[in-house]
Amino acid sequence: LEQHTPSLLPAPAALDERARLVHAVHVADEDTDRITLTPPELNHAACVLFLVTGSEKAAAVHTVLEQPGGLPLPAQRVRPAGRLLWLLDAAAAATR
C-alpha cells in the first residue's frame, strides 16, 4: 500500500499538468519544497482517499461533493479510475 499527500493547492501549474507524472512545488508559507503527483497520475490510482477534519473545511467539502463539474478546487480534479473514498469528521461533514 502506497501513500501520497498531494501538494496541489500551492501549485496552480501542477493542476493543469498533462505530460508529467510529478511536479515540483515550493510552499512559501512553510519555506519548503515538495514533489506532488499530478491530477492525471492521481486519477490512475486504484483508490484515492480524502481524509478531512474540521469545520473550516465544511464549505469546501460541500462544494467538491455537490458541484463536481465546476473544477474550481483541486480536489474536484481528482476522479480516479478506481475507488474514491471520503472520510469526514462530523465538523467537516456539517452542512450550512
Side-chain angles (χ1 to χ4, degrees):
L1 179 65
E2 293 188 29
Q3 174 183 324
H4 175 70
T5 302
S7 295
L8 296 173
L9 190 58
L15 290 172
D16 295 323
E17 181 61 53
R18 297 291 173 254
R20 295 186 290 173
L21 303 179
V22 298
H23 196 280
V25 178
H26 180 75
V27 183
D29 293 350
E30 299 173 11
D31 193 27
T32 188
D33 295 307
R34 299 179 185 172
I35 295 175
T36 187
L37 295 173
T38 59
E41 186 62 15
L42 290 167
N43 289 334
H44 279 95
C47 181
V48 172
L49 173 107
F50 283 95
L51 175 62
V52 187
T53 63
S55 61
E56 69 279 3
K57 302 292 185 184
V61 168
H62 178 77
T63 298
V64 171
L65 297 178
E66 299 299 324
Q67 301 169 12
L71 300 181
L73 297 175
Q76 289 174 302
R77 295 177 187 238
V78 179
R79 299 177 182 153
R83 295 175 60 191
L84 176 60
L85 304 172
W86 286 82
L87 297 179
L88 310 172
D89 69 1
T95 57
R96 298 173 212 161

